[in-house]
């Protein structure tokens, strides 16, 4: 993330509701660096705006900013250590106003009722400014939809830093659709939604940390997230008076051709009730979670039944039985129980399909749409998760 120092007046006097200021500090503090050699990056920048304050935090990879309403008595800016500022604000009297100011030595003063604190800050002009993101590609998506899309894909992101390109979520922006894709090579999650008024097309890999922060700040309320993508940066502007913005670098590199991983046909299809399936896998995983069994659960069809088994030489064995609708011949296949739990936990529809070809070829789990989108909270999303099978013996 390329940044430049911010130019601002070092003085500031403002009055702000404690609760609002504390919430704003909490919102941006997740972008603060805890290990940077630059002391300024452990701070939060607070600068005046018209009828309010702008809070900014960045570690030069991820930046978060938001606005809070305040009475600005003297415009300017200050910085304060994020952790100290959050702890003090979190323990000041509730339902009170905080008087915020800074002197020429960069000492920040917080005054609230009978409490008065002085916190050593740093020069505000040294704080890096969040980069401008050229709007080469831009689109808007309802925040509830984007929240659901991230929730359905974030679990499949790789944690292997040796393959950095897989440690983020691929955003495929097309003329009329947005795809989110994640994979750790053992499973792949793909979520798609139709969009209108898309400007430009691009593939961009957004770091998982950025997506997790975005997921934390998004709500199920109304309003669109405005997304802007340049060659190496992405900006998310959230709806609401807080004017929350997230700016992040993109991960460089070529994401694997994910379409090749998704089977184009199946020979067997199982229609399974989601919650009974989830609970059966959860119980059987108690036996399968030992490292010797590698979290393996075996799924075997027997006419209109699906039998789940797990064995562990130390713990014992597990047997679960479910009623299913089966298309095609009987099949026996093994999957990692944790991967099954991850995908079943994010599906809210009452049923799923499991498409299979051969025991050692990928299986595909999809939700079964029921009713309208408002009833099943599907948001008009197309979703699937590809799971690589395990050796049965």
């Amino acid at each position: 993330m390329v940044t430049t120092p911010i130019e601002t007046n070092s003085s500031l006097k403002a009055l702000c509701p404690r609760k609002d200021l504390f919430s704003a500090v909490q919102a941006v503090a997740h972008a603060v660096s805890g290990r940077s050699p630059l002391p300024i990056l452990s701070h939060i920048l607070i600068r005046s705006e018209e009828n309010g304050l702008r809070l900014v935090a960045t570690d030069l990879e991820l930046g978060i900013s938001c606005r809070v309403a305040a009475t600005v008595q003297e415009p300017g800016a200050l910085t304060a250590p994020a952790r100290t500022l959050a702890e003090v604000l979190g323990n000041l009297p509730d339902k009170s106003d905080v008087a915020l100011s800074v002197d020429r030595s960069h000492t920040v003063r917080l005054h609230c009722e009978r409490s008065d604190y002085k916190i050593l800050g740093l020069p505000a002009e040294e704080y890096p400014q969040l980069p401008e993101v050229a709007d080469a590609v831009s689109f808007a998506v309802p925040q509830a939809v984007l929240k659901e899309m991230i929730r359905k894909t974030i679990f499949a992101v790789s944690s292997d830093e040796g393959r950095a390109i897989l440690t983020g979520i691929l955003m495929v922006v097309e003329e009329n659709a947005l795809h989110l894709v994640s994979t750790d090579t053992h499973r792949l999650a793909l979520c798609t939604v139709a969009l209108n008024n898309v400007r430009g097309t691009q593939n961009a890999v957004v770091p998982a940390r950025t997506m997790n922060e975005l997921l934390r700040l998004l709500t199920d309320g109304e309003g669109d997230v405005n997304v802007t993508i340049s060659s190496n940066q992405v900006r998310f502007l959230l709806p609401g008076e807080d004017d929350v913005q997230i700016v992040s670098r993109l991960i460089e590199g070529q994401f694997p051709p994910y379409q090749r991983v998704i089977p184009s046909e199946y020979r067997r299809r199982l229609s399974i009730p989601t919650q009974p399936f989830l609970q059966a896998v959860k119980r059987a995983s108690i036996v399968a979670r030992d490292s010797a069994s590698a979290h393996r659960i075996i799924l075997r069809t027997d006419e209109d039944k699906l039998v789940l088994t797990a064995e562990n030489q130390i713990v014992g064995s597990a047997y679960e039985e479910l009623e299913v609708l089966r298309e095609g011949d009987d099949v026996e296949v093994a999957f990692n129980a944790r991967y099954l739990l991850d995908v079943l936990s994010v599906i809210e529809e009452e049923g799923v399909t499991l498409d299979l070809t051969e025991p050692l070829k990928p299986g595909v789990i999809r939700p079964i749409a029921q009713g309208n989108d408002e009833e099943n909270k599907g948001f008009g999303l197309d979703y699937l998760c590809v799971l690589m099978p395990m050796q049965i013996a």
Side-chain angles (χ1 to χ4, degrees):
M1 180 180 292
V2 179
T3 60
T4 55
I6 190 168
E7 295 181 3
T8 183
N9 185 356
S10 60
S11 62
L12 173 66
K13 288 184 180 180
L15 191 66
C16 183
R18 182 213 68 90
K19 182 179 179 181
D20 295 348
L21 184 58
F22 179 50
S23 296
V25 169
Q26 287 183 307
V28 304
H30 284 253
V32 171
S33 174
R35 295 175 293 180
S36 173
L38 300 175
I40 195 75
L41 295 183
S42 66
H43 286 221
I44 290 175
L45 171 71
I46 303 178
R47 69 171 185 261
S48 59
E49 288 187 348
E50 184 178 359
N51 299 320
L53 299 172
R54 168 71 57 179
L55 281 72
V56 181
T58 181
D59 64 357
L60 304 183
E61 298 289 330
L62 168 68
I64 304 176
S65 77
C66 73
R67 185 183 185 280
V68 60
T71 301
V72 179
Q73 300 161 328
E74 185 176 336
L78 59 83
T79 75
R83 181 175 179 179
T84 303
L85 184 61
E87 290 180 345
V88 171
L89 288 172
N91 287 283
L92 287 175
D94 200 7
K95 299 181 180 179
S96 301
D97 288 341
V98 174
L100 183 68
S101 62
V102 63
D103 62 22
R104 293 184 178 180
S105 67
H106 314 299
T107 299
V108 177
R109 182 181 180 187
L110 297 174
H111 182 78
C112 181
E113 294 186 0
R114 297 184 180 182
S115 301
D116 195 86
Y117 285 80
K118 292 183 178 179
I119 302 172
L120 300 181
L122 291 171
E125 57 270 18
E126 294 181 4
Y127 203 88
Q129 188 173 5
L130 297 186
E132 294 293 329
V133 182
D135 60 346
V137 176
S138 60
F139 62 90
V141 56
Q143 67 166 332
V145 172
L146 183 57
K147 178 182 177 181
E148 187 69 4
M149 294 181 74
I150 297 173
R151 192 177 72 89
K152 288 182 180 295
T153 52
I154 193 71
F155 65 85
V157 171
S158 175
S159 59
D160 182 8
E161 295 296 336
R163 298 193 66 183
I165 196 67
L166 301 183
T167 62
I169 292 180
L170 172 67
M171 296 176 59
V172 181
V173 184
E174 298 180 341
E175 292 182 357
N176 56 4
L178 170 67
H179 310 271
L180 296 192
V181 188
S182 60
T183 182
D184 61 4
T185 71
H186 301 291
R187 65 257 179 95
L188 180 146
L190 167 63
C191 197
T192 300
V193 68
L195 293 180
N196 297 317
N197 301 319
V198 179
R199 177 183 175 183
T201 61
Q202 187 171 339
N203 289 4
V205 182
V206 184
R209 180 189 171 205
T210 301
M211 287 304 208
N212 273 316
E213 293 305 323
L214 186 57
L215 183 62
R216 177 179 63 87
L217 293 170
L218 291 171
T219 73
D220 295 323
E222 297 181 353
D224 289 348
V225 178
N226 290 289
V227 184
T228 304
I229 308 173
S230 66
S231 60
N232 59 357
Q233 302 281 343
V234 61
R235 184 188 69 173
F236 301 91
L237 175 59
L238 278 58
E241 296 180 355
D242 296 341
D243 190 31
V244 177
Q245 300 183 39
I246 298 178
V247 179
S248 171
R249 69 167 181 86
L250 299 174
I251 300 176
E252 297 180 357
Q254 186 68 34
F255 201 85
Y258 66 91
Q259 300 93 334
R260 298 180 185 176
V261 179
I262 304 172
S264 58
E265 59 182 16
Y266 65 91
R267 297 182 183 178
R268 302 166 179 87
R269 167 169 286 181
L270 307 179
S271 299
I272 315 168
T274 307
Q275 282 303 312
F277 191 17
L278 172 63
Q279 296 304 320
V281 174
K282 188 176 295 185
R283 291 189 294 266
S285 68
I286 297 172
V287 173
R289 65 189 175 196
D290 184 83
S291 59
S293 58
H295 304 277
R296 181 174 54 242
I297 288 183
I298 297 175
L299 282 61
R300 175 175 55 84
T301 58
D302 182 7
E303 296 183 353
D304 60 351
K305 298 192 296 291
L306 176 64
V307 176
L308 287 72
T309 58
E311 293 188 2
N312 186 315
Q313 294 181 352
I314 299 175
V315 177
S317 64
Y319 178 94
E320 295 280 348
E321 191 176 286
L322 296 170
E323 291 186 359
V324 298
L325 294 177
R326 190 192 79 212
E327 298 177 27
D329 299 332
D330 281 321
V331 65
E332 186 176 35
V333 62
F335 290 110
N336 186 308
R338 295 180 302 172
Y339 298 164
L340 283 172
L341 290 174
D342 283 342
V343 61
L344 293 174
S345 295
V346 301
I347 293 177
E348 296 183 350
E349 287 80 357
E350 294 183 3
V352 297
T353 59
L354 173 57
D355 294 342
L356 301 165
T357 52
E358 301 295 337
L360 293 180
K361 292 187 177 181
V364 182
I365 291 180
R366 293 181 174 90
I368 300 174
Q370 296 174 340
N372 58 46
D373 287 337
E374 292 184 0
E375 290 176 351
N376 61 31
K377 297 182 181 179
F379 300 107
L381 302 179
D382 289 328
Y383 180 66
L384 63 84
C385 183
V386 180
L387 298 179
M388 297 300 295
M390 303 175 70
Q391 291 282 353
I392 293 177

